[in-house]
């Protein structure tokens, strides 16, 4: 019996802006990253290992309008995101949109971990866009944040079964053994951080950020990304 093809998802699925944060802390021999193991019933990234984060919503825009963020910081972020869709509404809106994304990153980290980051701790890192053909599409802005003494995220989200600190080396070893699954953006953003070496070097770096549009066949793959894999279209 021939299995009928799965109907294609319409390409006009709206793309929602989202933010995701690599929370980093010093550890013996390097650094650790805070990750969450999502529940298997989620309608996006089910069962995947991810970073704290989520989509931008109306309250994030209200925070910007209320002047809760330093204009100089928003100007810097708008400059760092200049090769992404942040300029889609024109240069005069770029700083406001940068503020919405930054506000979403802080809010999502707080909601999912109880930790309220200072805005200046969040450093722009990467931008990945879900390909057409998926039921949900996100234009996701990744940040890195080095935690200070006394800043301790907790597991307090129903979207994940556990949240934990882990070294990148241990995380990728688990992936190689097939014990966990990680989407391409999650893997690549962490690989890029590892290439910098220390947390100090990660935070001091200013990588050239362009929107990455991965091959849809790879976007939800659980297979490991190799260090040499940087063939994605920007």
């Amino acid at each position: 019996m021939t299995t009928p093809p799965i109907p294609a998802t319409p390409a006009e699925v709206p793309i929602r802006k989202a933010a995701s944060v690599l929370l980093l802390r010093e550890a013996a021999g390097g650094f650790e990253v805070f990750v969450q193991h999502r529940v298997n019933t989620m309608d996006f990234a089910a069962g995947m290992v991810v970073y704290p984060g989520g989509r931008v919503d109306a309250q994030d825009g209200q925070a910007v309008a209320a002047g809760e963020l330093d204009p100089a910081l928003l100007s810097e972020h708008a400059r760092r995101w200049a090769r992404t869709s942040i300029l889609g509404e024109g240069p005069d809106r770029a700083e406001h949109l940068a503020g919405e994304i930054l506000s979403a990153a802080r809010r999502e980290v707080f909601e999912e971990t109880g930790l309220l980051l200072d805005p200046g701790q969040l450093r722009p890192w990467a931008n990945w866009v879900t390909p057409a053909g998926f039921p949900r599409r996100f234009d996701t802005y990744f940040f890195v944040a080095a935690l200070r003494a006394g800043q301790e995220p907790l597991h307090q989200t129903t979207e994940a079964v556990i949240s934990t600190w882990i070294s990148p080396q241990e995380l990728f070893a688990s992936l190689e053994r097939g014990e966990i699954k990680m989407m391409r953006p999650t893997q690549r953003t962490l690989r890029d951080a590892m290439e910098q070496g220390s947390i100090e070097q990660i935070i001091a770096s200013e990588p050239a950020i362009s929107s990455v549009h991965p091959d849809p066949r790879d976007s939800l793959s659980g297979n490991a990304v190799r260090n040499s894999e940087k063939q994605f279209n920007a």
Side-chain angles (χ1 to χ4, degrees):
M1 182 177 68
T2 302
T3 302
I6 299 174
T9 302
E12 58 272 13
V13 170
I15 301 176
R16 298 290 304 271
K17 283 185 170 54
S20 186
V21 184
L22 286 74
L23 299 174
L24 309 175
R25 74 176 183 184
E26 299 287 352
F31 67 88
E32 293 179 327
V33 62
F34 189 79
V35 297
Q36 300 170 327
H37 296 245
R38 283 170 68 86
V39 298
N40 291 321
T41 55
M42 298 298 296
D43 54 8
F44 185 82
M48 296 284 180
V49 170
V50 300
Y51 313 123
R55 66 188 184 187
V56 175
D57 64 23
Q59 63 182 302
D60 302 314
Q62 294 167 2
V64 180
E68 297 178 9
L69 298 171
D70 181 1
L73 182 62
L74 299 188
S75 178
E76 178 193 352
H77 281 216
R79 175 183 63 82
R80 296 291 311 284
W81 299 127
R83 297 175 65 185
T84 72
S85 67
I86 202 169
L87 292 179
E89 297 181 24
D92 56 328
R93 285 276 295 165
E95 291 184 12
H96 182 89
L97 293 176
E100 289 186 354
I101 295 163
L102 177 57
S103 293
R106 294 183 73 217
R107 175 183 54 76
E108 287 288 341
V109 168
F110 178 71
E111 291 175 356
E112 296 184 359
T113 75
L115 178 62
L116 184 61
L117 295 169
D118 291 339
Q121 287 181 267
L122 289 150
R123 306 295 299 165
W125 190 247
N127 174 237
W128 286 65
V129 182
T130 309
F134 285 77
R136 288 178 180 267
R137 299 187 67 196
F138 295 98
D139 181 7
T140 304
Y141 292 76
F142 289 86
F143 295 84
V144 290
L147 299 196
R148 302 166 183 159
Q151 289 186 315
E152 183 60 40
L154 305 173
H155 173 69
Q156 58 177 45
T157 174
T158 58
E159 296 180 355
V161 291
I162 60 169
S163 302
T164 186
W165 286 105
I166 189 170
S167 73
Q169 294 81 5
E170 184 179 350
L171 189 64
F172 282 112
S174 294
L175 180 65
E176 291 281 2
R177 293 192 296 268
E179 298 168 352
I180 61 171
K181 296 184 294 182
M182 296 169 65
M183 292 188 296
R184 282 300 196 260
T186 311
Q187 295 186 50
R188 188 68 263 166
T189 50
L190 185 55
R191 289 282 191 195
D192 290 343
M194 293 170 69
E195 290 177 6
Q196 293 297 323
S198 68
I199 289 181
E200 182 178 358
Q201 291 169 314
I202 293 168
I203 299 304
S205 67
E206 285 200 5
I209 300 171
S210 297
S211 297
V212 179
H213 299 266
D215 187 318
R217 294 169 298 180
D218 290 334
S219 293
L220 291 178
S221 171
N223 295 330
V225 169
R226 308 302 175 185
N227 282 331
S228 59
E229 286 190 36
K230 289 193 175 183
Q231 73 277 22
F232 303 111
N233 295 322

Coordinates of all heavy atoms in Angstrom, one line a residue, residues 17-59:
K17 N 8.7 37.0 15.8 CA 10.0 37.3 16.4 C 10.0 36.6 17.8 O 9.1 36.6 18.5 CB 10.2 38.8 16.5 CG 10.6 39.5 15.2 CD 11.0 40.9 15.4 CE 11.6 41.5 14.1 NZ 10.8 41.3 12.9
A18 N 11.2 36.1 18.1 CA 11.4 35.4 19.4 C 12.8 35.7 19.9 O 13.7 36.2 19.1 CB 11.2 33.9 19.2
A19 N 13.1 35.4 21.1 CA 14.4 35.6 21.7 C 14.8 34.3 22.5 O 13.9 33.6 23.1 CB 14.4 36.8 22.7
S20 N 16.1 34.0 22.5 CA 16.6 32.8 23.2 C 17.9 33.2 23.8 O 18.7 33.9 23.2 CB 16.7 31.6 22.2 OG 17.1 30.5 22.9
V21 N 18.2 32.7 25.0 CA 19.4 33.2 25.7 C 20.3 32.0 26.2 O 19.8 31.1 26.9 CB 19.0 34.0 27.0 CG1 20.2 34.6 27.7 CG2 18.0 35.1 26.5
L22 N 21.5 32.1 25.8 CA 22.5 31.2 26.3 C 23.1 31.8 27.7 O 23.9 32.7 27.7 CB 23.7 31.0 25.4 CG 23.5 30.2 24.1 CD1 22.7 31.0 23.1 CD2 24.9 29.8 23.5
L23 N 22.6 31.2 28.8 CA 23.0 31.6 30.1 C 24.3 30.9 30.4 O 24.3 29.6 30.3 CB 22.0 31.3 31.2 CG 20.6 32.0 31.0 CD1 19.7 31.5 32.1 CD2 20.8 33.5 31.1
L24 N 25.4 31.6 30.7 CA 26.7 31.0 30.9 C 27.3 31.3 32.3 O 27.0 32.3 32.8 CB 27.7 31.5 29.8 CG 27.2 31.5 28.4 CD1 28.3 32.2 27.5 CD2 27.0 30.1 27.9
R25 N 28.0 30.3 32.8 CA 28.7 30.5 34.1 C 30.1 29.8 34.0 O 30.2 28.8 33.3 CB 27.9 30.0 35.3 CG 27.8 28.5 35.4 CD 27.1 28.1 36.7 NE 27.1 26.6 36.9 CZ 26.4 26.0 37.8 NH1 25.7 26.7 38.7 NH2 26.5 24.7 37.9
E26 N 31.0 30.3 34.8 CA 32.3 29.7 34.9 C 32.2 28.3 35.5 O 31.4 28.1 36.4 CB 33.3 30.6 35.7 CG 33.5 32.0 35.1 CD 34.3 32.0 33.9 OE1 34.9 31.0 33.5 OE2 34.4 33.1 33.3
A27 N 33.1 27.4 35.1 CA 33.2 26.1 35.6 C 34.6 25.6 35.5 O 35.4 26.1 34.7 CB 32.2 25.2 34.9
A28 N 34.9 24.5 36.2 CA 36.2 23.9 36.1 C 36.5 23.5 34.7 O 35.7 22.7 34.1 CB 36.3 22.7 37.0
G29 N 37.6 24.0 34.1 CA 37.9 23.6 32.7 C 37.2 24.3 31.7 O 37.3 24.0 30.5
G30 N 36.5 25.4 32.0 CA 35.8 26.1 31.0 C 34.5 26.8 31.5 O 34.5 27.5 32.5
F31 N 33.4 26.5 30.8 CA 32.1 27.1 31.2 C 31.0 26.1 31.0 O 31.1 25.1 30.4 CB 31.8 28.4 30.4 CG 31.5 28.2 28.9 CD1 30.3 27.9 28.5 CD2 32.6 28.2 28.0 CE1 30.0 27.7 27.1 CE2 32.3 28.1 26.6 CZ 31.0 27.8 26.2
E32 N 29.9 26.5 31.7 CA 28.6 25.7 31.6 C 27.5 26.5 31.0 O 27.6 27.8 31.1 CB 28.2 25.1 32.9 CG 29.2 24.1 33.5 CD 28.7 23.6 34.9 OE1 28.1 24.4 35.6 OE2 29.0 22.4 35.2
V33 N 26.5 25.9 30.4 CA 25.4 26.5 29.8 C 24.1 26.0 30.4 O 24.1 24.8 30.8 CB 25.4 26.4 28.3 CG1 25.2 24.9 27.9 CG2 24.2 27.2 27.6
F34 N 23.1 26.8 30.7 CA 21.9 26.4 31.3 C 20.9 26.0 30.2 O 20.6 26.8 29.3 CB 21.3 27.6 32.1 CG 20.1 27.2 33.0 CD1 20.3 26.6 34.2 CD2 18.8 27.6 32.6 CE1 19.2 26.3 35.0 CE2 17.7 27.3 33.4 CZ 17.9 26.6 34.6
V35 N 20.4 24.8 30.2 CA 19.5 24.3 29.2 C 18.3 23.7 29.8 O 18.2 23.3 31.0 CB 20.2 23.2 28.3 CG1 21.4 23.8 27.6 CG2 20.7 22.0 29.2
Q36 N 17.3 23.6 28.9 CA 16.0 23.0 29.3 C 15.7 21.8 28.4 O 15.9 21.9 27.2 CB 14.9 24.0 29.3 CG 15.1 25.2 30.2 CD 14.2 26.4 29.9 OE1 13.7 26.6 28.8 NE2 13.8 27.1 31.0
H37 N 15.1 20.7 29.0 CA 14.7 19.6 28.2 C 13.2 19.7 28.0 O 12.4 19.4 29.0 CB 15.1 18.3 28.9 CG 16.5 18.1 29.0 ND1 17.2 17.0 28.4 CD2 17.5 18.8 29.7 CE1 18.5 17.1 28.7 NE2 18.7 18.1 29.5
R38 N 12.7 20.1 26.8 CA 11.3 20.4 26.6 C 10.5 19.1 26.7 O 10.9 18.0 26.3 CB 11.1 21.1 25.3 CG 11.5 22.5 25.4 CD 11.5 23.2 24.0 NE 10.2 23.3 23.4 CZ 9.4 24.4 23.6 NH1 9.7 25.3 24.4 NH2 8.3 24.4 22.9
V39 N 9.2 19.2 27.1 CA 8.3 18.1 27.2 C 8.0 17.6 25.8 O 8.0 18.4 24.8 CB 7.1 18.4 28.0 CG1 7.4 18.8 29.4 CG2 6.3 19.6 27.3
N40 N 7.6 16.4 25.6 CA 7.4 15.8 24.3 C 6.0 16.2 23.7 O 5.8 15.9 22.6 CB 7.4 14.2 24.4 CG 8.8 13.7 24.7 OD1 9.8 14.3 24.1 ND2 8.9 12.7 25.5
T41 N 5.2 16.9 24.5 CA 3.9 17.3 24.0 C 3.8 18.7 23.4 O 2.8 19.1 23.0 CB 2.8 17.1 25.1 OG1 3.2 17.9 26.2 CG2 2.6 15.7 25.5
M42 N 4.9 19.4 23.4 CA 5.0 20.8 22.9 C 4.7 20.8 21.4 O 5.1 19.8 20.7 CB 6.3 21.4 23.2 CG 6.6 21.6 24.7 SD 5.4 22.6 25.6 CE 5.7 24.2 24.8
D43 N 4.1 21.8 20.9 CA 3.8 21.9 19.5 C 5.0 22.5 18.7 O 4.9 22.5 17.5 CB 2.5 22.7 19.2 CG 2.6 24.1 19.8 OD1 3.6 24.5 20.3 OD2 1.6 24.8 19.8
F44 N 6.0 22.8 19.4 CA 7.3 23.3 18.7 C 8.5 22.8 19.5 O 8.5 22.9 20.7 CB 7.3 24.8 18.5 CG 8.5 25.3 17.7 CD1 8.4 25.3 16.3 CD2 9.6 25.8 18.3 CE1 9.5 25.8 15.5 CE2 10.7 26.2 17.6 CZ 10.6 26.2 16.2
A45 N 9.4 22.2 18.8 CA 10.7 21.7 19.5 C 10.4 20.7 20.6 O 11.0 20.7 21.6 CB 11.5 22.9 20.0
A46 N 9.4 19.9 20.3 CA 9.0 18.9 21.3 C 10.2 17.9 21.6 O 10.8 17.4 20.7 CB 7.8 18.1 20.9
G47 N 10.5 17.7 22.9 CA 11.5 16.8 23.3 C 12.9 17.3 23.1 O 13.9 16.5 23.3
M48 N 13.1 18.5 22.6 CA 14.4 19.0 22.3 C 15.1 19.7 23.5 O 14.4 20.1 24.4 CB 14.3 20.1 21.2 CG 13.8 19.6 19.9 SD 15.2 18.7 19.0 CE 14.3 18.2 17.5
V49 N 16.4 19.7 23.5 CA 17.1 20.5 24.5 C 17.3 21.9 23.9 O 17.7 22.1 22.8 CB 18.5 19.9 24.8 CG1 19.4 20.9 25.6 CG2 18.4 18.6 25.5
V50 N 16.9 22.9 24.7 CA 16.8 24.3 24.3 C 17.4 25.2 25.3 O 17.7 24.8 26.5 CB 15.4 24.7 23.9 CG1 14.8 23.9 22.8 CG2 14.5 24.7 25.1
Y51 N 17.5 26.5 25.0 CA 17.8 27.6 26.0 C 16.5 28.3 26.4 O 15.5 28.2 25.7 CB 18.7 28.6 25.3 CG 19.9 28.1 24.6 CD1 20.1 28.4 23.2 CD2 20.8 27.2 25.2 CE1 21.2 27.9 22.5 CE2 21.9 26.7 24.5 CZ 22.0 27.1 23.1 OH 23.1 26.6 22.4
P52 N 16.5 28.9 27.5 CA 15.3 29.7 27.9 C 15.0 30.7 26.8 O 15.9 31.3 26.2 CB 15.8 30.4 29.2 CG 16.8 29.5 29.8 CD 17.6 29.0 28.6
G53 N 13.7 30.9 26.6 CA 13.3 31.9 25.6 C 11.9 31.7 25.2 O 11.2 30.9 25.6
G54 N 11.5 32.6 24.2 CA 10.1 32.5 23.7 C 9.8 33.7 22.8 O 10.7 34.5 22.5
R55 N 8.6 33.8 22.4 CA 8.3 34.8 21.4 C 8.1 36.2 22.0 O 7.7 36.4 23.1 CB 7.0 34.4 20.6 CG 5.8 34.4 21.4 CD 4.7 33.8 20.6 NE 3.4 33.8 21.3 CZ 2.3 33.2 20.9 NH1 2.3 32.5 19.7 NH2 1.2 33.3 21.6
V56 N 8.3 37.2 21.1 CA 8.0 38.6 21.5 C 6.5 38.8 21.6 O 5.8 38.3 20.7 CB 8.7 39.5 20.5 CG1 8.3 41.0 20.8 CG2 10.2 39.4 20.4
D57 N 6.0 39.5 22.6 CA 4.6 39.8 22.6 C 4.4 41.3 23.0 O 5.3 42.1 23.1 CB 3.9 38.9 23.6 CG 4.3 39.0 25.0 OD1 4.8 40.1 25.4 OD2 4.1 38.1 25.8
A58 N 3.1 41.7 23.1 CA 2.8 43.1 23.2 C 3.4 43.8 24.4 O 3.8 44.9 24.4 CB 1.2 43.2 23.3
Q59 N 3.5 43.1 25.5 CA 4.1 43.7 26.7 C 5.5 44.1 26.6 O 6.0 45.0 27.2 CB 3.9 42.8 27.9 CG 4.7 41.5 27.9 CD 4.4 40.6 29.1 OE1 4.7 41.0 30.2 NE2 3.9 39.4 28.9

